[in-house]
């Protein structure tokens, strides 16, 4: 079990207070992680949006350390599972065990029944394990012996994968990639960041302190789900997703042969949820088109399936999303004081509201 924060966490009453406590949580992670601001921010966005996150990067760029530090700051129970080719589903979700004392089978729940699951090198697990993860990630529950066991709340899977290895690796199927709200690419650090890593980690490494707890996280998730989305912004999100399915309709006929399968409706819902989370982090109770654009690449790119010729030409799905963002015009909502006051009253946060 996690250790509670040193001071009793007070539930934020407004968006400004929520942004302040979220900023403190992010800064605690960045005490340990040098650079990688985008990755740390997107981890918090995924948590607020109640979605799972996939981190992809070469070994040694602090993916696992970032997730460990993030779990420490956020609080709750944490488990790290190292995925290997010899794993079986019962190793992660649990199984039935015969008890000689009671002469009956008892359920032994697996390590995934925690608030934060770090699935390290998830692409090393075989198909059976991947299928067991599907129910857990989509429904946040596990079926064992004909009974259903719900995951605790909050619940998030943060997975890592190594893009450079081919030995003993099982590429994630499209259906499972779609279950991840975000896929974040973790690059090499820059030169000045590498020097800071050397300075900071070569002596006594810093440690993150807990800022949030599970009750506070649930409250912040509730606040994020109530962030206002203007109809123009909602239509913009739908147009972005539709552009991946029918590029010709958006004056991009050259993408017709590049995109084999466009984004699913999960991308539409994911863009809304992620943009709401980012707006809350930035201290706003309404979503701007810039929020959508900031999360679009991480939410959409891994859901796009490229055609054979595009793969042969080394076209990156992120470049496809950037082209769509450039071609689909963003709205410019105009607020006057009366409209703004009315929308705040209509969409004000109510504690306990689902």
């Amino acid at each position: 079990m996690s250790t509670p924060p040193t001071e009793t966490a007070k539930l934020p009453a407004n968006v400004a207070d929520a942004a302040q406590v979220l900023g403190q949580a992010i800064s605690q992670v960045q005490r340990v992680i040098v650079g990688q601001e985008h990755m740390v921010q997107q981890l918090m966005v995924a948590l607020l949006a109640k979605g799972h996150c996939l981190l992809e990067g070469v070994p040694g760029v602090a993916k696992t350390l970032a997730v460990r530090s993030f779990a420490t700051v956020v609080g709750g129970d944490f488990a790290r599972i190292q995925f290997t080719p010899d794993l079986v589903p019962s190793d992660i979700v649990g199984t039935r065990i015969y008890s000689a004392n009671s002469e009956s089978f008892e359920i032994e729940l697996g390590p995934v029944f925690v608030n934060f699951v770090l699935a390290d090198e998830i692409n090393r697990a075989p198909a059976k394990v991947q299928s067991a993860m599907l129910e857990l990630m989509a429904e946040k529950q596990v079926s064992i012996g004909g009974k259903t066991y719900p995951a605790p709340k909050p619940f998030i899977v943060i997975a890592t994968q190594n893009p450079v290895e081919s030995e003993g690796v099982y590429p994630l199927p499209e259906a499972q990639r779609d279950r991840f709200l975000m896929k974040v690419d973790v690059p090499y650090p820059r030169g000045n960041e590498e020097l800071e890593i050397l300075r900071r980690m070569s002596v006594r490494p810093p440690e993150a302190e807990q800022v949030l707890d599970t009750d506070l996280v649930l409250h912040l998730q509730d606040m994020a789900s109530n962030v206002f989305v203007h109809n123009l912004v909602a239509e913009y999100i739908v147009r972005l997703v539709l552009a991946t399915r029918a590029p010709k309709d958006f004056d991009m006929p050259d993408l017709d042969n590049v995109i084999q399968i466009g984004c699913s409706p999960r991308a539409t819902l994911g863009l809304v949820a992620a943009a709401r989370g980012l707006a809350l982090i930035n201290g706003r109770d309404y979503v701007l088109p810039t929020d959508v654009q900031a999360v679009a690449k991480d939410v959409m790119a891994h859901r796009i399936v490229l055609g054979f010729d595009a793969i042969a030409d080394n076209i990156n799905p992120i470049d496809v999303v950037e082209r769509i963002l450039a071609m689909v015009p963003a709205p410019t909502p105009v607020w006057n004081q009366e409209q703004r006051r009315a929308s705040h009253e209509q969409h004000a946060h109510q504690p306990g509201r689902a």
Side-chain angles (χ1 to χ4, degrees):
M1 297 292 290
S2 64
T3 305
T6 52
E7 298 182 2
T8 305
K10 183 180 179 182
L11 298 182
N14 54 50
V15 173
D17 292 342
Q20 182 178 3
V21 72
L22 288 170
Q24 291 172 359
I26 291 173
S27 66
Q28 279 295 321
V29 180
Q30 290 177 333
R31 281 186 59 199
V32 181
I33 304 300
V34 179
Q36 308 293 5
E37 293 88 356
H38 179 73
M39 173 182 65
V40 176
Q41 177 182 272
Q42 299 301 62
L43 284 173
M44 187 61 74
V45 168
L47 177 65
L48 293 174
K50 306 177 186 177
H52 310 296
C53 189
L54 177 62
L55 305 179
E56 182 174 279
V58 297
V61 290
K63 301 185 298 295
T64 303
L65 180 61
V67 178
R68 278 189 172 278
S69 303
F70 182 76
T72 300
V73 170
V74 171
D77 297 331
F78 170 75
R80 175 182 181 269
I81 306 173
Q82 181 65 51
F83 280 57
T84 57
D86 59 349
L87 271 185
V88 293
S90 60
D91 290 336
I92 61 170
V93 300
T95 187
R96 295 194 303 166
I97 297 177
Y98 182 76
S99 173
N101 293 334
S102 61
E103 297 183 352
S104 62
F105 284 94
E106 297 178 353
I107 300 297
E108 181 72 23
L109 296 178
V112 294
F113 285 87
V114 292
N115 299 114
F116 299 93
V117 177
L118 169 56
D120 225 351
E121 295 187 307
I122 191 172
N123 54 333
R124 286 190 175 277
K128 284 185 178 180
V129 176
Q130 303 290 6
S131 64
M133 291 292 293
L134 282 179
E135 180 185 12
L136 176 67
M137 294 171 63
E139 309 297 335
K140 298 185 178 178
Q141 65 181 32
V142 168
S143 299
I144 306 173
K147 293 184 179 179
T148 299
Y149 298 88
K153 294 181 180 180
F155 177 76
I156 179 174
V157 174
I158 304 175
T160 68
Q161 70 175 8
N162 180 355
V164 299
E165 287 189 274
S166 57
E167 285 283 326
V169 171
Y170 303 84
L172 292 183
E174 287 80 4
Q176 187 167 0
R177 288 207 310 267
D178 201 37
R179 296 309 198 278
F180 285 101
L181 171 68
M182 291 180 160
K183 175 179 173 289
V184 181
D185 291 328
V186 185
Y188 281 119
R190 294 183 287 269
N192 60 323
E193 294 170 347
E194 192 99 15
L195 188 61
E196 177 63 19
I197 291 171
L198 177 62
R199 187 194 67 80
R200 190 181 299 185
M201 296 299 182
S202 59
V203 288
R204 185 179 178 183
E207 296 181 1
E209 297 178 1
Q210 184 174 342
V211 175
L212 311 178
D213 56 33
T214 52
D215 291 337
L216 185 50
V217 169
L218 291 173
H219 180 78
L220 290 168
Q221 287 178 340
D222 186 42
M223 292 186 73
S225 66
N226 290 319
V227 169
F228 176 66
V229 180
H230 195 281
N231 282 341
L232 290 176
V233 178
E235 291 171 2
Y236 175 56
I237 290 172
V238 171
R239 288 200 304 273
L240 289 175
V241 174
L242 291 179
T244 66
R245 304 175 195 167
K248 279 184 180 177
D249 297 344
F250 295 85
D251 298 325
M252 293 178 286
D254 55 306
L255 291 184
D256 245 10
N257 296 325
V258 172
I259 301 174
Q260 182 178 349
I261 301 176
C263 293
S264 71
R266 276 201 191 98
T268 309
L269 298 175
L271 283 171
V272 173
R276 279 174 160 160
L278 184 58
L280 185 64
I281 290 173
N282 290 330
R284 280 183 276 102
D285 59 356
Y286 55 92
V287 172
L288 291 175
T290 51
D291 296 324
V292 179
Q293 294 162 356
V295 299
K297 287 184 284 188
D298 295 329
V299 172
M300 296 173 64
H302 65 287
R303 291 181 161 95
I304 294 175
V305 179
L306 300 181
F308 178 80
D309 291 340
I311 295 174
D313 292 339
N314 290 322
I315 294 178
N316 193 325
I318 291 179
D319 297 333
V320 175
V321 177
E322 287 179 344
R323 173 82 191 286
I324 291 172
L325 288 172
M327 292 297 292
V328 177
T332 53
V334 178
W335 297 86
N336 60 40
Q337 284 299 112
E338 187 176 345
Q339 287 175 319
R340 185 168 168 75
R341 195 180 308 112
S343 72
H344 281 190
E345 292 173 359
Q346 181 181 359
H347 299 277
H349 170 68
Q350 299 174 12
R353 179 177 169 186

